[in-house]
């Protein structure tokens, strides 16, 4: 579909939007109830990450660091800093789980995580996530695999109604909730792994960041393997299906690249109808929202159909947004991805680049409206366009965790928001042009 | 991994070159119980306000990912604002295995070609520090090639906390920039502002007053700063440290090397702003200047007082608990007192002995100096009948539980509370907090709760 | 609470936002399934109304006119034009109901609606709505009363689970749906009268405006009187409670001025818990959204708490929005109402004026952010402020019918939207100020 | 009600004054089966583009509520744009019972005091027409008081449909404004543009070409119009009617009274724009002008053709069905043909015989002239294999059912398709429609549908 440039060829990132693999790991652990993510690295690694997610979600974030310093980095193979961290965390907050994830610093040292973990008797999951490899999506996916690999107990039974849902990292908490409710309305029980929908959904909690305050429970993760189906959502988490199937080969794996827009949601519904054996009986609200999405598509097609977009996001997120926009004729002039991914080739765009915002800035003649993280706001200002905020990080807005773009319902709201933004932009342009004409006529 | 031997060399080198200011690993952070940024963070905070210089992080995305374009240190530099432009080498597997020096050199070339900065700061990070990239050599070579300073900043995160990074940044500037250029002219009233980052434009709240008095800000480290100016900083008559203990070592060295005396100032609140402006005039030692300064202070205070009238009634009898770190423990307290708010307690958890003494001096003998504010502040609010809690976002819930007003002192750093005019902004924010019903409402019992 | 100026003292409206009583009647009839609203007046009255609602809702609108012309106006007492209209409509589309509502023109003539209606044997409800009296709210309320008065059959039984919900005119279709779902989650059955949630909710329908395509059915309206409760929402529809009670004095009437914000929703929940006899057992989703609203209040309080608002809307809508904003410290500097209403005195605002946008423009120093219909966009431009769109009409945006501001959920989204708009406005101002400083320093 | 007798008087008066152009009540709209706006609507559409005049609706809010600030007729008037300013007396019960004349007079005073318009148009509506407010007297008296024209427009909705209102507006301007002022200078090439409303700036698509040729637009009725100019309109050498049949009576009267000849023009599409510009030049009868005009047309057409190249391929072989009213039935068809799109059918439902003939002429003998497009168009699409339906919003569903592209010809009137450059805008919009997958997707069967 798209022409994809997989490598930038530049020796640096200028105005980067890429986020690191350990950051993705942190976020995944925050989707486990009463978990303390423990980043194995210098104190700054955790601090940068904590500050970012705190500001993004407007929520206190539970995260600790093994606080590796220059001396420890040389003398310690990881045993001291991890064991000491686990002890200190355990004494203070008694988590259900400690989620150890590495960084470039500790990977360069070459610490033997598996060996260290074997010496620890508190519940712990470890994952190798050097930050000089991969990115947010892979950190999330690797951690999800680690959770299942290290916690889930093998099983040979199947609960025909049970579905394990594995969302990609760019789904907002409310999107995971909407998806679970949607699937459950077809008669299934859903366990999402990780599950940010009850931890980072902007709810007022009692305790402040001492631990993650919601998410899938450790007990639930242990018992995942009796699910009839594992549904992976997003190319980055597709391998998680296989990980779970290792615990029980009878589990069936169904993968969706996204469930955005009419066709994306239709595909999910078709599968749910078939799998649930409901035939054509479906929850009335599903039918209603499909009609609303159809109407939204018509109401927004004229505006979006004449708009050329720059999308800036993680690969799976790019694929979702592009699908929605393409259904109403939006032209994806340029999609800028944080990292490479096989999904990039499937995006219907004039050009897909693994790159940075400098690349986007250079090509500003190609697009009208930008959808991306808060850094694209300044970009938009520089190139006299408008930006709609999506993706990590977003320090400019509140309520991000409750923004839903998927399924029929979210798809309708997404189109409305984009169409309205595009129209507002065009009106400002028309206003500006008319002011110019006025000045000319007066002169 | 083959890089291991190199690490030891580097650390040995790093120890003799940069570890002077550091208290050593006996003071290492506690694993699993540490908060706060690292040396890299501190170095960035100290140097990023130079908007005419590029700031290149030689490291992976964790070190920069969420941390560019977030610092609200505005500039009047007319070129592209490089403070708001993120540069990172984004080192990959390959760079770890085979060295990232070539990539770093190419990155500097890219920046110089495309952004024409006045200087390039190159920040080392933990991974290249361990793998042993010779950043000094790359910088030296690129400086020569491009004819602009490329300044290595050796503050990889694992060497320590923010303060250390700030100090390392100061030393890098001292070594590579200060004294490398002569000013076009000098005046008897040339000063440097050290540690003023112009956060949210705070410098702009008082610089015009100094200028009105004929005091010239020769250079700043580094708020609204210019590379060309900081290179001439050795010709100043006075160094003024603005709320930045960690930079005393820098001004001491400037005193040793260039004979520049220094004083420490705060520009929060009316009292301290007046005191500071006068202190600068006095340090410059010109009788006429001192007289003009007194007149200006009188004029500004009168103007301010008039504007504060509508707030006086709102704040009368109001008590505040202050939970914030370092010198803010007393500097913001002073501003609150200027507004007629009684500060009944302040946090001294991370304060130096000097800060503690200052806090006691400002707050009086009945005030509570909290050493463990997180656990203390709820009780302190009960005991003192405080109406207002000023603290970081986490303490919001204490305020709600106590149903008193809350103001986030770290309010995303969007507002400037410095100088005389900043006090008005603080007054407005505090008024809004005190009058906001949300703190009582949020704790309201749900209909299903008994 | 507020200082209210009930009369403008001006001989005209300049940049008016007031809408007419027949327009409110049309909208109410559109909330009845398979109804054809028939405006008794000149063809222009219906045309202006139809164009307005078509553009506002982005939907085809069913509306016919008796097409009174200058000759008929003198010669006919209304019999000819109404009877002829009913015949033509009935022959063409066979509606379940024809909703005859008058205009200034036919009221000035003094046509005897009741007399004419008595001669007609197709289902018909009539209501007197001269456009030189009242406004949108009263047209809606009078029509709702007429529907019940003329259609609902008296009853002496009570269905303990049945609640009749009467929303005011400014509630969006999705808001009525959310409200009904919310109440039903406490175990009740809800019939909303009128019900725009299934007619003007932006769904793709098959037939195009030949009749209203959704809403409460005529059969349901006929059988309203066995409800245990009538819940009126908004001061303008409070009298409808009494109208229904006339059909069955055993019906209990519960009135809410609004169900916006924490306190507004709490009041409804308290009543539902009490009335349903559920004690403290409540749907889990209700509890979740209350926590999210609490968090939204905290996340938005700093931004909204420093913002001075101009609100421009119908009285009941003003009261709802003001309540939400006040809970997080928003200062309502000025509320401009279309018409007078007893509720205006309850609004916590510095000033409440029954007036027009000229009044708003004159007082522009008093406020920062505007919330109002699409006309306030141009106002905002003239006075260098920002406007968030709410109320009738809104020709600038799509998806209006699906915008939810009420209950815990809608309240959270409302606060997010307003806080984000306020911050964006302030950032533009700061940006502008800094550019000025830059220019000064350079000069 | 006591006002009843008055109504009869008023209607009698109204009949003799304004009913000349009207076909009488034999042509009355059908109760319960009528669509479209009233005379008031038509009068507003005709006059509102005068942005330097206030437009005061003397009536209740139904007559104005949703209808101000909705017409996108931009102006280059440097004062406040009164087209976008709503004025209404919002008559109340009291005004109905006791007369609204005083209120009307006070309203005019308010407007003149606060908005300093060049004129005030006062639009009568049904209710005051029935209650018998003497708007003529009020206008006359206020004109004298304020020294600016206050023009009564007697187009209450119940006298007829839009076209009639437009004609009434023309007559009001003819009676009260045209000929009341002399132009500062005249040229041999002065023209009036009649019926050009500058919707979405369409006038601006071609006025500069006329000006380049030395043809002066002395006045317009009323796009981007000025009261001062229209008052001098009697000195023009030519009246150019732009797509507005209803104003022929106005230009005929101007010919009778002032001897100004008139021609009718359309500026949709390349062919008609060229034809129209040339027709104006020829009507002005100057050989040199005609020659220059031919050169300009050649230049503009060449420039346009070059820009159309990328669209030619997309439109090649494409067939369109056009369902829109009046002169658009052929004027837009002509524009489509200029783009290389075959127009296989057009609607002539509300067209005059002249329009029908023109449609046949433009479309050729094989094309279908639909007299009942709502029921015909689906079958026509099937029969012709059309790829594109251009129609009002309601017909969208026909396009979806047929899974062909759709373009809303009344697309909220945000885009200007007029002149040479407008054709490029139309091309872009049609391209977007043809390439938009939404029309096929929306009709996709749901997973639960067989």
């Amino acid at each position: 579909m798209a022409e994809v440039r997989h490598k930038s060829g530049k020796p640096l990132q200028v105005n980067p939007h890429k986020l690191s693999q350990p950051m993705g790991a942190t976020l995944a652990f925050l989707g486990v109830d009463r978990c303390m993510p423990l980043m194995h690295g210098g104190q700054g690694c955790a601090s940068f990450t904590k500050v970012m997610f705190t500001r993004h979600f407007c929520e206190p974030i539970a995260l600790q660091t093994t606080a590796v310093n220059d001396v420890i980095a040389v003398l310690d193979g990881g045993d001291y800093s991890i064991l000491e961290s686990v002890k200190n965390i355990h004494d203070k907050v008694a988590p259900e789980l400690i989620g150890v994830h590495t960084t470039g610093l500790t990977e360069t040292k070459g610490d033997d995580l598996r060996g260290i973990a074997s010496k620890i008797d508190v519940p712990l999951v470890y994952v190798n996530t050097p930050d000089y490899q991969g990115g947010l999506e892979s950190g999330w996916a690797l951690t999800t695999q680690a959770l299942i690999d290290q916690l889930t107990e093998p099983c040979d039974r199947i609960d025909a109604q049970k579905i394990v849902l594995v969302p990609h990292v760019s789904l907002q908490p409310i999107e995971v909730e909407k998806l679970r409710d949607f699937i459950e309305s077809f008669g299934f029980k859903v366990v999402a792994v990780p599950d940010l929908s009850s931890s980072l959904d902007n709810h007022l909690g009692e305790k402040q960041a001492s631990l993650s305050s919601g998410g899938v429970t450790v007990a639930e993760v242990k018992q995942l393997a009796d699910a009839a189906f594992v549904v992976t959502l997003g190319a980055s988490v597709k391998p998680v299906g296989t990980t779970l199937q290792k615990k029980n080969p009878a589990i069936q794996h169904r993968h969706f690249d996204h469930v955005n827009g009419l066709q994306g949601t239709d595909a999910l519904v078709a599968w749910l109808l078939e799998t649930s054996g409901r035939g054509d009986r479906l929850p009335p609200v599903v039918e209603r929202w499909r009609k609303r999405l159809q109407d939204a598509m018509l109401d927004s097609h004229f505006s979006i159909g004449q708009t050329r977009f720059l999308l800036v996001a993680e690969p799976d997120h790019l694929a979702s947004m592009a699908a929605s926009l393409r259904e109403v004729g939006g032209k994806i002039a340029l999609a800028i991805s944080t990292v490479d991914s096989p999904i990039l080739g499937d995006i219907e765009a004039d050009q897909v680049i693994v790159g940075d915002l400098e690349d986007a800035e250079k090509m500003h003649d190609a697009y009208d409206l930008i959808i991306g993280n808060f850094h694209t706001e300044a970009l938009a200002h520089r190139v006299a366009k408008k930006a709609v905020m999506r993706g990590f990080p977003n320090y400019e807005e509140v309520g991000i965790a409750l923004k839903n773009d998927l399924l029929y319902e979210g798809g309708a709201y997404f189109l409305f928001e984009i169409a309205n933004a595009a129209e507002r932009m065009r009106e400002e342009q028309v206003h500006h042009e008319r002011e110019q004409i006025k000045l000319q006529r007066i002169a | 991994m083959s890089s291991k031997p190199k690490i030891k060399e580097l650390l040995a080198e790093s120890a003799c070159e940069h570890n002077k200011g550091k208290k050593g690993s006996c003071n290492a952070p506690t694993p699993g119980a540490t908060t706060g940024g690292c040396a890299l963070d501190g170095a960035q905070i100290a140097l990023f306000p130079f908007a005419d210089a590029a700031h290149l992080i030689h490291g992976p995305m964790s070190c920069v990912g969420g941390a560019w374009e977030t610092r609200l240190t505005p500039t009047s530099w007319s070129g592209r604002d490089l403070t708001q432009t993120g540069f990172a080498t984004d080192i990959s597997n390959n760079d770890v295995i085979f060295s990232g020096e070539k990539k770093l050199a190419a990155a500097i070339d890219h920046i110089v070609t495309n952004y024409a900065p006045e200087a390039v700061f190159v920040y080392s990070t933990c991974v290249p520090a361990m793998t042993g990239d010779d950043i000094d050599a790359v910088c030296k070579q690129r400086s020569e090639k491009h004819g602009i300073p490329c300044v290595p900043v050796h503050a990889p995160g694992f060497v320590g906390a923010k303060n250390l990074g700030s100090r390392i940044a100061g030393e890098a500037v001292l070594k590579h920039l200060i004294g490398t250029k002569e000013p076009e002219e000098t005046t008897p009233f040339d000063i440097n502002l050290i540690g003023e980052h112009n956060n949210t434009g705070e410098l702009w709240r008082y610089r015009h007053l100094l200028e009105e008095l004929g005091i010239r800000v020769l250079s700043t480290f580094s708020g609204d700063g210019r590379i060309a100016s900081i290179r001439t900083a050795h010709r100043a008559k006075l160094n003024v440290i603005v709320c930045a203990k960690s930079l005393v070592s820098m001004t001491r060295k400037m005193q040793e090397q260039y004979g520049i005396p220094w004083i420490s100032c705060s520009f929060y609140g009316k009292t301290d702003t007046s005191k500071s402006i006068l202190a600068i005039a006095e340090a410059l030692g010109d009788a006429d200047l001192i007289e003009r300064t007194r007149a200006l202070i009188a004029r500004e205070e009168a103007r301010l007082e008039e504007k504060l009238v509508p707030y006086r009634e709102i704040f009368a009898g109001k008590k505040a608990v202050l939970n914030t770190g370092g010198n803010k423990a007393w500097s913001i307290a002073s501003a609150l007192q200027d507004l007629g708010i009684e500060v009944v307690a302040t946090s001294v958890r991370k304060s130096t002995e000097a800060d503690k003494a200052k806090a006691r001096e400002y707050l009086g003998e009945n005030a509570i100096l909290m050493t463990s504010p997180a656990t203390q502040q709820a009780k302190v609010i009960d005991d003192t009948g405080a109406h207002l809690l000023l603290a970081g976002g986490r303490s919001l819930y204490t305020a709600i539980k106590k149903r008193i007003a809350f103001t986030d002192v770290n309010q995303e750093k969007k507002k400037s509370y410095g100088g005389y005019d900043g006090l008005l902004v603080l007054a407005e924010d505090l008024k809004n907090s005190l009058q906001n019903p949300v703190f009582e409402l949020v704790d309201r019992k749900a209909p299903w709760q008994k």
Side-chain angles (χ1 to χ4, degrees), chain A residues 372-433:
Chain A
N373 72 13
F374 93 101
H375 291 299
T376 64
E377 178 75 35
L379 169 67
H381 210 274
R382 284 196 296 275
V383 300
K385 320 264 166 168
K386 290 281 164 191
V388 175
M389 304 286 94
R390 284 295 187 279
F392 293 101
N394 180 352
Y395 302 155
E396 297 296 306
E397 297 179 324
V398 290
I400 305 153
L402 296 177
K403 183 79 93 173
N404 173 30
D405 292 339
L406 51 68
L407 301 174
Y408 300 133
E409 180 185 0
Y413 284 107
F414 178 70
L415 295 181
F416 290 145
E417 183 179 350
I418 301 302
N420 289 336
E423 281 312 293
R424 194 163 284 235
M425 179 185 68
R426 269 189 286 274
E427 251 155 51
E428 281 180 30
Q429 285 163 353
V430 167
H431 184 85
H432 181 74
E433 280 164 25

Side-chain angles (χ1 to χ4, degrees), chain A residues 141-162:
Chain A
L142 289 171
T143 304
T144 308
Q145 286 184 286
L147 282 166
I148 292 171
D149 187 46
Q150 295 167 44
L151 289 181
T152 305
E153 291 155 6
C155 183
D156 50 14
R157 284 169 296 103
I158 281 296
D159 176 345
Q161 303 307 310
K162 183 166 171 179

Side-chain angles (χ1 to χ4, degrees), chain A residues 57-59 174 177-178 197-199 201-204 213 285 288-289 291-292 294-296 298-300 377 381 386-387 389 396-399 402-404 409 412-413 415-416 419-420 423-424 427-428 431:
Chain A
F57 287 108
C58 280
E59 287 293 327
I174 192 78
E177 176 173 304
K178 290 278 179 184
S197 75
S198 50
S199 64
D201 62 329
N202 279 115
H203 71 280
L204 183 66
S213 67
V285 69
R288 194 80 195 163
W289 275 110
K291 285 186 180 167
R292 287 173 179 164
Q294 287 173 305
D295 205 56
L298 293 174
D299 287 350
S300 66
E377 178 75 35
H381 210 274
K386 290 281 164 191
M389 304 286 94
E396 297 296 306
E397 297 179 324
V398 290
L402 296 177
K403 183 79 93 173
N404 173 30
E409 180 185 0
Y413 284 107
L415 295 181
F416 290 145
N420 289 336
E423 281 312 293
R424 194 163 284 235
E427 251 155 51
E428 281 180 30
H431 184 85

Side-chain angles (χ1 to χ4, degrees), chain B residues 65-94:
Chain B
W68 68 277
E69 210 180 62
T70 65
R71 295 190 182 85
L72 294 165
T73 53
T75 181
S76 60
W77 168 245
S78 60
R80 174 148 181 173
D81 182 353
L82 297 177
T83 297
Q84 306 300 342
T85 311
F87 298 102
T89 53
D90 183 22
I91 57 173
S92 68
N93 238 342
N94 258 4

Side-chain angles (χ1 to χ4, degrees), chain A residues 324-387:
Chain A
S324 263
L325 294 170
R326 282 302 305 143
E327 288 194 335
V328 292
K331 281 175 259 309
I332 318 300
L334 178 60
I336 302 232
S337 179
T338 50
V339 293
D340 201 1
S341 161
I343 197 73
L344 297 184
D346 294 339
I347 295 173
E348 266 192 80
D350 294 343
Q351 226 181 327
V352 178
I353 290 179
V354 178
D356 56 28
L357 299 188
E358 183 188 61
D359 300 326
E361 192 161 346
K362 276 187 186 152
M363 297 178 62
H364 68 88
D365 281 343
Y367 50 84
D368 310 305
L369 191 67
I370 305 170
I371 309 181
N373 72 13
F374 93 101
H375 291 299
T376 64
E377 178 75 35
L379 169 67
H381 210 274
R382 284 196 296 275
V383 300
K385 320 264 166 168
K386 290 281 164 191

